[in-house]
Amino acid sequence: MRKTVILFLALTLSLALALPVLADTIKIGFNISLTGDIPKVGESSKFAAEMLKADINGAGGLMVGGKAYKLDFIYEDNESKAESAVTAMLKLIERDQVLAVVGPNSSKQAVPAGQIANDNKTVMVSPWATNPDATLDRPWVFRAAFLDPFQGPVAVNFAVKTFGAKTAAVIYDLSNDYSKGLAEIFKQVFEEKMGAGSVVAFESHGTRDQDFSAQLTTIINRKPDFIFVPNNYNQVALIVRQARQQGYTGEIMGSDAWGSAELMTLCGDVCKGLHFSTHYAAAGATGATKEFIDRYTATYGYTPDDVAALTWDATKVVLQAIQNAGRLTGRLRTDRQAILDGMKAITSFDGITGSMKFDEEGDPVKCAVVVQISQTGEFEFKESVCP
Amino acid sequence: MLRRYSVHLILATLGGLVVYLAYNEYLGLYYLSVLMFMGVNIILSSSLNLVNGYMGEFSCGHAGFMCVGAYVASVLGVWLFARDRVFGAPVLDPEYALYAFPVIILAGGIAAALAGLLVAFPSYKTRGDYLAIITIAANYIIISAIENMSAIGGSRGFMGMKGVINAMEDTIYLPWMPIWVFIFTIFSVWVIRRYVSSTFGKGVNAISQDEVAAEIMSVNTNKIKTITFMLSSGLAGIGGGLFAYILGYVNPGSFNILKSTEIMVMVYLGGMGSLSGSILAAILFTILLELLRPLQIIKWIVIPLVLIILMQFRPEGIMGNRELGQTFPRLKKFYRFK
């Protein structure tokens, strides 16, 4: 017993000790949720980053100021918890001495972690966080995803144009800040466009609810032209199915949280033909996007979701900023400042989720796409909406 | 003489050392934040131990009270001393933040203690599994209530506490957060120790042994239950307030049933009804979580496995229901802690 304990302690200690630092490497931290509520999101991020690292290191490294640097990515698990995101961030910044951090993905970790990054003067790019507070008044914090105040109008305009909708209903998750925020923006924009009272039903539910019949009955009785469902993919599967069972035959539209590889497994046939707005369309992609999707699918066995694509872009943006910095001195403080200047120098970045540039808050100005779920279950490009 | 003051001496040295190292930035922010979370965890686990260990009830909603304390302390602090989108300019001069901070944290604790009544009243009539369900319900009620208050951010969360800390550091530069976490940790442990070793507090143990017999022996069980639940949730509120100020951001999702479970794990790891056990377990648990970070997903196989092994070979937890002085009688020569 004692022996095993000692062995175990020795093992953990040896793992805990950082590997010796190699010369001429660029260290980038990843503060992602590999365990907890949304492990799939962290996994997608990690896979995309690994692919990018293999690419660049395989080609000899990243060229900065005429010198090739190998990339070293450090993945820290934030367990989908706010406090762990903070300690992980501090660990990356202080202990691992990374030049910049990618992540965390969800807003509840990105907001406090962003504070830490900003206080410690380290560039942070969150691939997926949508809460405006994550970047607000924080010059060192950026994000790769567009914000909800942009995504809401996209859904409204598309619905009005394509479905000819005059009335709408919304069902959203009250305890999910993303869902609630988007639902409110949608309601506001739709009513501005179509007149007060055009959102005929505005129903909420809890995160772990399985039965939505009460809300759906109310919605269907008010006869909306379509239903807006800004929910996570697992709830979407249930909501759409239950709406169809109650005899609703009209349109249902969603937001970027639908765009998970899991959606079609959970939802099946009932989701086919529906639309949602998102960051990129996997089916029918061309150029660099297609190349990324094909390679990711070949390596990891499933179509990359938007988090994977956004992480790829976020990481590439950071690398671009490092190259913009021109020269790395090896002094952490100077280099981090140089990277911030490099970030600000990016006027236009061509990513696989579309081309983007950053506004003064560190939020990207980029296009959204609306995709339709095809009969084979793929997310097909329908139209692109730019700000 | 030395025996009498040795604990004070050790604590003062320890506190002074941490503050000194933090002030001169010898101790990085990472280690400091781990130490601060350790302090918060000690407050949480020892206060839950009061109910689950000493009183023998089963509370699974401790994070709910932490949530109340966190929100009350945050909103109060930001309203009084920081510029905020919701409340606008600070009500008082930010200079006073320095003196008001402990009061704010205590106010969070008092609010949480009042929220504790949510569990205390039902506990007159029920106990065991049924009370456990009520505590879970209380946790959910608190979280849902805050999610529906859009004035303080709802599920978006609430922030701005960093402004209060900055105001304190601007007035007199010292690492205030570590100092207050340290003081409140000592305070909580001291309060619990005094409470359970008092004549009145002996009733707490009596309830755990046999409630009916205690009632017959003229122990006012309802009164004791009310006070114990309020004390326990009040201390959790203090822990929550500190937690909020360390993070600089709170959202109701951080205080869900998973957080409650985490606190419970610490209590059972340390041993029911052992204050030193709770403290040791909180320290151990925090270190273990950080140390095993590089293992990533495997961490969540290793930690539960360690727990299972511990429960297999030592089901009563690290310390059982004994204190440090009882397990190692020789130590008693060197210290006295009341």
Side-chain angles (χ1 to χ4, degrees):
Chain A
M1 182 63 199
R2 179 166 295 167
K3 236 178 199 168
T4 40
V5 171
I6 292 170
L7 201 70
F8 172 76
L9 277 176
L11 194 74
T12 49
L13 265 176
S14 59
L15 278 167
L17 290 172
L19 292 165
V21 186
L22 298 166
D24 294 345
T25 55
I26 289 174
K27 279 200 281 190
I28 293 173
F30 284 79
N31 188 341
I32 48 180
S33 45
L34 292 165
T35 62
D37 289 345
I38 41 169
K40 199 83 182 161
V41 168
E43 187 190 82
S44 291
S45 273
K46 189 179 168 184
F47 283 170
E50 283 290 288
M51 227 169 88
L52 183 61
K53 186 175 87 170
D55 268 10
I56 292 178
N57 283 351
L62 186 76
M63 293 301 290
V64 183
K67 195 173 163 192
Y69 289 87
K70 289 272 186 219
L71 294 181
D72 183 12
F73 289 174
I74 298 163
Y75 306 98
E76 281 296 343
D77 177 21
N78 62 31
E79 300 156 34
S80 302
K81 291 192 295 190
E83 67 268 34
S84 296
V86 164
T87 43
M89 201 71 181
L90 283 167
K91 179 166 184 288
L92 286 169
I93 292 173
E94 283 198 355
R95 304 291 306 145
D96 299 323
Q97 310 213 317
V98 296
L99 283 177
V101 178
V102 176
N105 279 314
S106 60
S107 294
K108 77 171 178 186
Q109 291 120 39
V111 175
Q115 180 75 53
I116 302 291
N118 197 51
D119 287 347
N120 291 289
K121 299 198 187 326
T122 306
V123 168
M124 163 182 144
V125 184
S126 171
W128 206 43
T130 49
N131 190 332
D133 283 340
T135 56
L136 196 67
D137 295 327
R138 291 170 179 171
W140 293 82
V141 183
F142 300 82
R143 76 174 99 216
F146 48 67
L147 285 174
D148 298 339
F150 170 63
Q151 189 175 187
V154 167
V156 171
N157 292 337
F158 182 83
V160 170
K161 204 175 71 180
T162 316
F163 308 151
K166 298 209 165 43
T167 54
V170 181
I171 179 166
Y172 66 96
D173 181 349
L174 183 70
S175 38
N176 179 343
D177 66 341
Y178 158 80
S179 180
K180 183 167 172 248
L182 194 50
E184 279 163 359
I185 290 161
F186 177 86
K187 180 170 190 264
Q188 187 197 339
V189 176
F190 198 85
E191 291 196 332
E192 268 170 27
K193 206 174 170 89
M194 307 306 293
S198 55
V199 173
V200 291
F202 195 69
E203 298 291 315
S204 67
H205 63 80
T207 298
R208 285 182 175 75
D209 286 6
Q210 301 283 318
D211 179 21
F212 305 93
S213 49
Q215 291 93 332
L216 287 168
T217 308
T218 317
I219 288 175
I220 294 168
N221 283 340
R222 305 243 172 97
K223 296 196 172 49
D225 289 340
F226 84 111
I227 307 177
F228 183 57
V229 188
N231 280 11
N232 279 337
Y233 60 87
N234 49 351
Q235 295 158 342
V236 170
L238 294 167
I239 291 172
V240 172
R241 184 156 307 193
Q242 289 175 19
R244 294 293 187 231
Q245 275 165 1
Q246 290 203 14
Y248 179 75
T249 50
E251 281 290 346
I252 298 173
M253 194 184 166
S255 59
D256 64 311
W258 284 35
S260 163
E262 289 274 287
L263 178 69
M264 292 318 289
T265 333
L266 293 172
C267 196
D269 288 343
V270 287
C271 277
K272 287 177 180 168
L274 302 182
H275 300 79
F276 62 92
S277 57
T278 188
H279 306 274
Y280 88 126
T286 52
T289 316
K290 183 173 168 29
E291 197 194 329
F292 166 75
I293 292 164
D294 290 347
R295 284 180 45 213
Y296 189 99
T297 316
T299 318
Y300 301 112
Y302 61 90
T303 317
D305 45 20
D306 51 359
V307 186
L310 288 168
T311 308
W312 176 277
D313 275 359
T315 317
K316 282 198 96 163
V317 163
V318 169
L319 298 181
Q320 175 74 51
I322 294 174
Q323 284 181 318
N324 284 356
R327 194 172 67 90
L328 292 177
T329 55
R331 286 193 302 276
L332 215 51
R333 198 173 271 271
T334 331
D335 286 346
R336 283 178 180 164
Q337 180 66 46
I339 292 171
L340 177 66
D341 298 338
M343 284 297 291
K344 288 189 172 149
I346 295 173
T347 47
S348 167
F349 174 81
D350 264 331
I352 54 172
T353 61
S355 75
M356 60 172 117
K357 62 175 194 282
F358 294 101
D359 64 9
E360 64 277 14
E361 283 298 347
D363 298 327
V365 181
K366 65 195 281 194
C367 301
V369 293
V370 178
V371 298
Q372 184 172 26
I373 303 171
S374 73
Q375 288 308 314
T376 52
E378 284 181 317
F379 302 155
E380 255 172 22
F381 178 81
K382 186 86 178 174
E383 78 172 52
S384 169
V385 187
C386 294
Chain B
M1 195 54 192
L2 188 66
R3 175 171 168 247
R4 191 164 173 187
Y5 292 107
S6 63
V7 173
H8 301 85
L9 212 65
I10 291 171
L11 287 177
T13 325
L14 202 69
L17 193 72
V18 169
V19 171
Y20 173 77
L21 290 176
Y23 182 74
N24 288 312
E25 294 182 1
Y26 294 139
L27 201 64
L29 283 172
Y30 169 63
Y31 287 119
L32 211 55
S33 75
V34 173
L35 281 178
M36 286 195 285
F37 283 125
M38 207 183 270
V40 171
N41 281 343
I42 290 174
I43 297 177
L44 293 173
S45 67
S46 55
S47 62
L48 183 64
N49 202 351
L50 197 56
V51 169
N52 282 23
Y54 288 107
M55 198 157 70
E57 296 289 2
F58 195 75
S59 166
C60 325
H62 215 50
F65 306 117
M66 193 184 159
C67 184
V68 173
Y71 264 86
V72 170
S74 308
V75 171
L76 201 63
V78 170
W79 175 57
L80 291 176
F81 300 112
R83 180 167 288 280
D84 186 70
R85 261 169 298 162
V86 188
F87 303 112
V91 174
L92 297 176
D93 192 342
E95 267 183 32
Y96 299 123
L98 188 58
Y99 312 104
F101 184 74
V103 182
I104 289 170
I105 297 288
L106 282 176
I110 290 165
L114 293 176
L117 290 174
L118 214 63
V119 186
F121 289 138
S123 78
Y124 298 168
K125 298 251 167 89
T126 53
R127 60 176 298 148
D129 301 350
Y130 302 100
L131 189 63
I133 293 167
I134 290 169
T135 58
I136 296 177
N139 195 339
Y140 275 108
I141 289 169
I142 291 166
I143 291 179
S144 300
I146 289 175
E147 272 171 357
N148 282 290
M149 288 181 209
S150 46
I152 52 169
S155 48
R156 277 246 137 136
F158 182 81
M159 60 187 285
M161 286 77 91
K162 192 78 193 164
V164 181
I165 305 293
N166 286 344
M168 285 160 70
E169 287 181 350
D170 286 346
T171 316
I172 297 174
Y173 181 74
L174 269 177
W176 287 111
M177 267 329 282
I179 293 176
W180 283 117
V181 170
F182 190 79
I183 292 173
F184 276 113
T185 307
I186 307 284
F187 170 76
S188 304
V189 173
W190 177 76
V191 166
I192 293 170
R193 174 79 184 155
R194 297 296 290 191
Y195 180 69
V196 293
S197 60
S198 67
T199 320
F200 183 80
K202 293 274 190 273
V204 177
N205 237 324
I207 290 177
S208 135
Q209 303 293 328
D210 190 330
E211 195 173 336
V212 179
E215 187 85 55
I216 294 168
M217 298 308 283
S218 84
V219 174
N220 187 344
T221 51
N222 284 358
K223 191 176 167 191
I224 288 184
K225 278 181 185 171
T226 315
I227 292 175
T228 312
F229 270 115
M230 283 182 78
L231 182 64
S232 164
S233 47
L235 291 174
I238 289 179
L242 294 168
F243 178 84
Y245 277 89
I246 298 171
L247 279 184
Y249 168 79
V250 276
N251 78 336
S254 303
F255 304 103
N256 58 11
I257 197 85
L258 278 175
K259 186 79 193 168
S260 299
T261 317
E262 207 180 287
I263 306 168
M264 267 164 58
V265 166
M266 285 188 265
V267 172
Y268 290 96
L269 183 70
M272 311 271 278
S274 165
L275 196 54
S276 36
S278 289
I279 298 169
L280 278 177
I283 295 173
L284 196 73
F285 191 73
T286 319
I287 294 180
L288 212 61
L289 278 191
E290 280 309 313
L291 216 61
L292 297 185
R293 200 176 265 291
L295 292 182
Q296 296 181 353
I297 300 174
I298 303 167
K299 177 166 88 172
W300 290 111
I301 302 170
V302 173
I303 291 178
L305 200 66
V306 171
L307 282 176
I308 292 171
I309 292 170
L310 188 89
M311 289 300 136
Q312 178 68 41
F313 294 101
R314 205 173 161 77
E316 68 274 29
I318 298 174
M319 299 295 289
N321 57 358
R322 289 143 70 96
E323 295 299 339
L324 205 60
Q326 290 165 314
T327 320
F328 304 103
R330 283 201 193 153
L331 270 178
K332 274 203 159 164
K333 268 191 230 154
F334 302 106
Y335 82 96
R336 203 172 67 164
F337 182 63
K338 281 231 156 70

